[in-house]
Amino acid sequence: MKRSQLFICMLTVVFMLAGCGSRSIPEEMTQSSVPDVEAEKTEDKASETMNGESGQGSILTVYFSVPETDGVDAVAGASRVVKDGEVLGNCQYVANVIKETVGGDLFEIKTVQEYPGSHEPLLEFAYDEKAVNARPELAAGIENLDDYDMIYLVYPNWNADLPMPLYTFFEENDFSGKTIVPVVTHGGSGFSRTIQTISDMEPDADVISDGLSISRQDVPDAENDIKAWIESLE
C-alpha cells in the first residue's frame, strides 16, 4: 500500500515538472525585444527633429515684410510676389519657401503701427524712423522661444541697416545659445552691416556669417536658389 502511494506521488511530481517546462513567455514580453522597440522610437524622434516636425519644433523662421500695395506692378514689383494668385511681401515669400523646405514653425514680426503702402512714402517713413532711432511697438511676441534652437531670420535691407522693428525684436528677445541664420532682400546693398549688428545685439548667439542675400528683383524666381543654399548649410 505504501509503495503504491509512493508511486502515485512520483508520477504527480513528474507531471508537474513537465507542465512547468512547457510554459513559454510570449516573445513580445521578453527583455530582448524591448531594445528594438525603443530604438524605433528613438529613430522616429530623430527623424522628426531633423525635419522640424517634433512636438516642440527646433526650427523657427521669422520674417518682417512690408509689401507695397499700390503704385507698383504686382508681377514685377520690387517688394511683393504673386504666388498662386496671392500677393506676398518679398520677405514673406522667402520665409514661406524656407519653412516649406526645413519644416518647423513660422513667425511674422508685426508692428502696431501701419507702414505706407506706396514706395516713396515707405522709403521716407523708414528713413525718418532710423533718423530718430525709433523702436516701433510690436503687435505680438514669440511665446515659446525656448522651444527653438535654430532661427532663420528674413528681413529687408532698409537704408543700409536693419528695419527699426528688428531692433525692437532683438531687444525684447534673448537668443543666447541659439543659431541665427540671416536672410536679406535688398535693392543692391546686400547685407550692408546688418549681420554684424545682429551679432552685436545677440553676443551669446551663433550668428551665421554666410547668410543668404537676394536682390528684390530676383525674389520671384529664387525658390531653387533658396533650397540649394539650405542644402549647402546642412
Side-chain angles (χ1 to χ4, degrees), residues 21-133:
S22 65
R23 291 182 181 179
S24 60
I25 300 175
E27 183 178 352
E28 64 271 17
M29 295 296 292
T30 61
Q31 186 176 358
S32 61
S33 67
V34 173
D36 292 335
V37 175
E38 293 299 326
E40 290 175 4
K41 290 181 179 179
T42 301
E43 290 174 0
D44 290 343
K45 187 68 175 179
S47 176
E48 289 175 354
T49 301
M50 289 182 66
N51 290 306
E53 298 173 355
S54 63
Q56 291 184 325
S58 60
I59 299 175
L60 179 65
T61 301
V62 177
Y63 72 94
F64 174 72
S65 192
V66 182
E68 294 167 18
T69 55
D70 60 5
V72 180
D73 178 71
V75 176
S79 68
R80 62 189 187 184
V81 177
V82 177
K83 185 71 172 179
D84 298 328
E86 182 181 5
V87 178
L88 306 172
N90 274 351
C91 292
Q92 181 183 11
Y93 172 73
V94 172
N96 284 343
V97 173
I98 293 174
K99 195 267 183 185
E100 291 170 2
T101 304
V102 303
D105 297 322
L106 193 65
F107 178 81
E108 180 182 5
I109 299 174
K110 293 182 179 181
T111 57
V112 173
Q113 68 184 21
E114 292 187 9
Y115 283 87
S118 299
H119 186 66
E120 291 300 328
L122 177 59
L123 290 179
E124 184 177 354
F125 194 96
Y127 180 83
D128 290 343
E129 276 194 336
K130 180 179 179 179
V132 298
N133 199 25

Side-chain angles (χ1 to χ4, degrees), residues 98-177:
I98 293 174
K99 195 267 183 185
E100 291 170 2
T101 304
V102 303
D105 297 322
L106 193 65
F107 178 81
E108 180 182 5
I109 299 174
K110 293 182 179 181
T111 57
V112 173
Q113 68 184 21
E114 292 187 9
Y115 283 87
S118 299
H119 186 66
E120 291 300 328
L122 177 59
L123 290 179
E124 184 177 354
F125 194 96
Y127 180 83
D128 290 343
E129 276 194 336
K130 180 179 179 179
V132 298
N133 199 25
R135 293 295 186 270
E137 181 183 354
L138 303 186
I142 304 173
E143 296 181 357
N144 53 339
L145 183 58
D146 289 342
D147 291 348
Y148 304 103
D149 301 315
M150 177 172 285
I151 313 295
Y152 285 87
L153 179 66
V154 188
Y155 57 93
N157 182 327
W158 280 6
N159 300 303
D161 199 354
L162 294 172
M164 301 314 292
L166 266 73
Y167 281 89
T168 307
F169 177 73
F170 281 118
E171 289 175 359
E172 292 184 354
N173 294 281
D174 182 6
F175 291 90
S176 298

Side-chain angles (χ1 to χ4, degrees), residues 178-200:
K178 302 183 186 299
T179 299
I180 300 176
V181 186
V183 179
V184 72
T185 62
H186 62 91
S189 300
F191 278 107
S192 298
R193 294 190 70 259
T194 58
I195 292 180
Q196 184 60 52
T197 299
I198 296 171
S199 297
D200 292 342

